[in-house]
Amino acid sequence: APGVRSDHFQFFIDEVELDLMKSFGENIRLRADLDFGRAASGSGNWLTAVILEQAYATANIPLGNGIEFLLGRFNAPIGFEAVDVSENYLISKSVIATGLRPSNLTGAKVYYAFSDLVDLHFYVVNRLTQDTDVSINDVPSLGFRLGFNWGDEGTESTVGVSGLFGPETRQSNKHFTFGGDIDLNWWITESFALGA
């Protein structure tokens, strides 16, 4: 560990991710994302060296523009920053993404695109905090993200309005968490985007 008045230099790998996907026709899909970290690289400890980030099944129901129904563990559709650092424009994640909002959830999600311009995610999950085997909650958590999209493919700008609700702790249903978020990713030119 770095000591007082000492300088250190180190390369490290945050994580390596293995994504497994299988489709059954056009409407059914399975996916699992496994994250591998290395304790010596600052990626965690030996107990959390392998993390199941996502594992879900989706079914596309041909109603309207098509409803996607998802069941399993998935990345929370909220905020500007993605769960995976490699999918973000910055080299690290902010405190908002690492501690103030949920990142991975276990439950069910419905996605519907009203048009190319407007879409909706709605989910019902076990809890908004990280999953554990210790829980007495008998009230599920839920949330949504209403997205507005415009622009060319590859440089699509988005504005998202999200809300969430659920028990505040794993031990009690006496207090609840209410949250809201507005995110923006605006491609001003082909080379410059503003995110908030």
Side-chain angles (χ1 to χ4, degrees):
V4 178
R5 296 183 182 160
S6 63
D7 296 324
H8 297 267
F9 177 84
Q10 179 182 26
F11 290 106
F12 73 95
I13 295 174
D14 182 59
E15 70 180 18
V16 173
E17 181 172 306
L18 176 64
D19 297 342
L20 306 168
M21 291 177 266
K22 174 69 177 163
S23 295
F24 299 93
E26 294 180 12
N27 294 330
I28 306 229
R29 193 168 42 109
L30 300 175
R31 178 173 176 163
D33 296 356
L34 301 172
D35 293 347
F36 299 88
R38 181 172 165 259
S41 290
S43 301
N45 59 47
W46 65 275
L47 293 172
T48 59
V50 179
I51 298 169
L52 181 63
E53 179 188 331
Q54 297 191 97
Y56 59 78
T58 61
N60 292 318
I61 302 165
L63 292 173
N65 292 332
I67 300 171
E68 181 183 86
F69 181 74
L70 179 148
L71 185 63
R73 183 172 174 80
F74 56 93
N75 294 148
I78 183 173
F80 167 71
E81 296 173 277
V83 172
D84 294 323
V85 175
S86 63
E87 294 178 11
N88 290 319
Y89 296 108
L90 304 174
I91 61 171
S92 64
K93 292 192 280 188
S94 71
V95 69
I96 294 171
T98 58
L100 293 179
R101 68 169 178 88
S103 56
N104 298 95
L105 305 169
T106 303
K109 181 178 78 145
V110 175
Y111 170 78
Y112 185 74
F114 296 98
S115 67
D116 290 341
L117 302 175
V118 181
D119 58 27
L120 175 70
H121 296 264
F122 177 77
Y123 53 88
V124 178
V125 295
N126 294 340
R127 64 196 61 80
L128 297 172
T129 55
Q130 294 300 319
D131 292 330
T132 67
D133 293 331
V134 180
S135 177
I136 62 168
N137 292 111
D138 56 2
V139 176
S141 299
L142 52 95
F144 72 91
R145 180 181 188 272
L146 182 62
F148 303 94
N149 316 293
W150 70 95
D152 299 326
E153 189 173 335
T155 57
E156 294 176 37
S157 299
T158 62
V159 171
V161 178
S162 302
L164 48 89
F165 163 82
E168 189 171 295
T169 67
R170 295 181 184 103
Q171 287 78 33
S172 170
N173 289 329
K174 292 182 180 178
H175 305 285
F176 294 95
T177 295
F178 300 87
D181 182 80
I182 297 175
D183 62 86
L184 167 71
N185 188 30
W186 176 28
W187 283 92
I188 298 169
T189 70
E190 290 182 5
S191 305
F192 184 77
L194 174 66

